[in-house]
Amino acid sequence: MSNRIRTGVATLALLFAADAVAGANDYRFEAAGQPQKAADGKSIVLVRLVRIADDKPVPGAVVIQTRADMSPMSMPEMTAPMRALGESEPGVYRFEVQPGMAGPWALTLAAKVQGEVETVRGTVTIVLAK
Ligand SMILES: [Cu+2]
């Protein structure tokens, strides 16, 4: 093994060790208040990202993936357009969803959190009006 590879392996080992201490499972997404109806059948949804250890909101996360589907109604194939609108207050993230049907929707999110190697993922179930 070259020194360079050895250093790389050691760095990776450190990263994995750090993950064992603080990882993506240390966070949760939760609904923040009631969804607001917007124009064209859209809803504005607020989701708080919380660090479980101290129950504090986590600001500065970058949402990299969103998905809205009706899996809570056994209709996982029914999806809805959803987009991230940014952080509305520290640790609270705004989304626009356009559901084709009223009822419970699963909003699945993936985010990069400052200082966290792993991508943080979570699902929030929220009842939306059509
Ligand atoms: Cu449906």
Side-chain angles (χ1 to χ4, degrees):
M1 238 194 281
S2 76
N3 270 340
R4 201 160 151 200
I5 290 175
R6 216 184 303 265
T7 306
V9 169
T11 305
L12 268 180
L14 270 179
L15 286 177
F16 285 126
D19 264 356
V21 177
N25 292 333
D26 296 337
Y27 305 86
R28 70 165 183 271
F29 289 100
E30 61 184 29
Q34 292 300 309
Q36 303 290 312
K37 279 277 283 172
D40 305 325
K42 293 171 183 164
S43 290
I44 302 297
V45 177
L46 297 177
V47 176
R48 187 181 294 109
L49 176 60
V50 174
R51 185 180 294 102
I52 293 169
D54 56 10
D55 222 31
K56 291 250 167 68
V58 179
V62 178
V63 176
I64 57 170
Q65 221 175 1
T66 62
R67 176 187 165 89
D69 68 59
M70 262 202 138
S71 50
M73 287 254 291
S74 304
M75 291 186 273
E77 71 287 350
M78 180 181 268
T79 59
M82 174 176 179
R83 64 190 183 105
L85 300 178
E87 205 169 351
S88 68
E89 61 181 272
V92 177
Y93 301 84
R94 273 174 92 227
F95 299 90
E96 181 190 80
V97 188
Q98 190 168 12
M101 183 177 166
W105 286 80
L107 309 183
T108 302
L109 306 167
K112 287 293 185 187
V113 172
Q114 289 178 26
E116 185 61 65
V117 177
E118 293 180 316
T119 298
V120 174
R121 297 172 195 280
T123 301
V124 177
T125 298
I126 203 151
V127 175
L128 296 176
K130 165 91 171 67

